[in-house]
Amino acid sequence: MQPIDKPWEQLRRAESYIEKMTTASSVEEYEEYWKEFLHNLERSWNKLTSHLKRSPKYQGWVERGKTEKLRRQDQLLSYLVNARGAEEHSVAEISKQQSGGIRINPVFGNSLKINKVGVINGQIYIDSDQPIKIDFIPDKVVLMSVENRGRTYDVPSEHIGNKLIKNDPVEIAKLGVAFYKTYFENAEVHFVK
């Protein structure tokens, strides 16, 4: 069987959108890269499946059945498949922009007493008898539950038995690409080499 160059090319394209998400100049751009990631990831799967189906060994390949089952049952993989389906076939939103803000905390301890907050010459000042720490929280994109073909898919909280810590599209995308890379490598060993 011929090498699986085209599916790999598509998977690398999906992976390139992860890097673009991390360097996006706006949340709108970030959201667009997330959607492009989903489309290219699923396209890579479709291209590989189409390529491998030409082999008589494909139907009996145990890894194929195992992976198809995971794509339906694993929270993260199922979410990626169905978020792309919802994006492509409906008008529902699959992500939302979350406004950032400012967090003010004491440098030491758990409580903070602020005596006064004001503005002088356009500058905000905070009067406190203790040292303070100010964190600026940027706007971000968070994933939403998606509905595809009449079924709801929640934002994944685990992947292959491992808990996911937060609703972070970049981390979810990285885990998805890592999973498919392993599958692609196994396909190459079984069908090409």
Side-chain angles (χ1 to χ4, degrees), residues 108-158:
F108 308 106
N110 293 326
S111 63
L112 175 65
K113 180 178 182 235
I114 296 176
N115 302 322
K116 187 176 183 181
V117 176
V119 177
I120 299 177
N121 296 327
Q123 300 291 315
I124 297 173
Y125 75 89
I126 301 171
D127 178 26
S128 176
D129 296 331
Q130 59 194 116
I132 61 173
K133 180 173 114 177
I134 300 174
D135 294 315
F136 294 93
I137 304 161
D139 294 348
K140 67 179 183 175
V141 172
V142 294
L143 303 178
M144 300 169 55
S145 294
V146 296
E147 187 173 319
N148 190 33
R149 299 178 188 221
R151 188 167 168 210
T152 300
Y153 299 87
D154 292 327
V155 176
S157 60
E158 68 175 52

Side-chain angles (χ1 to χ4, degrees), residues 7-31:
W8 271 115
E9 182 182 309
Q10 200 73 52
L11 186 59
R12 284 191 293 276
R13 187 171 297 138
E15 190 172 30
S16 75
Y17 282 103
I18 299 171
E19 176 63 29
K20 289 178 181 182
M21 282 190 280
T22 64
T23 60
S25 59
S26 68
V27 288
E28 291 82 13
E29 195 174 79
Y30 184 104
E31 247 180 329

Side-chain angles (χ1 to χ4, degrees), residues 12-154:
R12 284 191 293 276
R13 187 171 297 138
E15 190 172 30
S16 75
Y17 282 103
I18 299 171
E19 176 63 29
K20 289 178 181 182
M21 282 190 280
T22 64
T23 60
S25 59
S26 68
V27 288
E28 291 82 13
E29 195 174 79
Y30 184 104
E31 247 180 329
E32 189 57 38
Y33 292 148
W34 168 249
K35 292 172 185 175
E36 286 298 327
F37 163 77
L38 291 172
H39 290 288
N40 282 283
L41 185 69
E42 192 63 13
R43 231 177 258 138
S44 73
W45 168 263
N46 291 335
K47 284 183 184 239
L48 181 64
T49 301
S50 177
H51 184 80
L52 297 180
K53 279 183 178 177
R54 294 184 278 168
S55 170
K57 298 192 309 186
Y58 181 69
Q59 287 304 320
W61 187 39
V62 174
E63 186 78 16
R64 175 196 62 84
K66 220 170 72 174
T67 302
E68 288 175 353
K69 184 177 179 182
L70 277 173
R71 280 173 46 89
R72 288 188 307 275
Q73 295 180 351
D74 178 75
Q75 284 185 21
L76 184 137
L77 299 175
S78 179
Y79 182 84
L80 291 172
V81 169
N82 288 288
R84 180 243 160 227
E87 165 61 20
E88 181 111 345
H89 304 296
S90 76
V91 295
E93 295 296 325
I94 62 169
S95 58
K96 66 180 175 183
Q97 298 173 12
Q98 196 172 67
S99 297
I102 299 173
R103 182 174 37 231
I104 303 170
N105 288 308
V107 172
F108 308 106
N110 293 326
S111 63
L112 175 65
K113 180 178 182 235
I114 296 176
N115 302 322
K116 187 176 183 181
V117 176
V119 177
I120 299 177
N121 296 327
Q123 300 291 315
I124 297 173
Y125 75 89
I126 301 171
D127 178 26
S128 176
D129 296 331
Q130 59 194 116
I132 61 173
K133 180 173 114 177
I134 300 174
D135 294 315
F136 294 93
I137 304 161
D139 294 348
K140 67 179 183 175
V141 172
V142 294
L143 303 178
M144 300 169 55
S145 294
V146 296
E147 187 173 319
N148 190 33
R149 299 178 188 221
R151 188 167 168 210
T152 300
Y153 299 87
D154 292 327

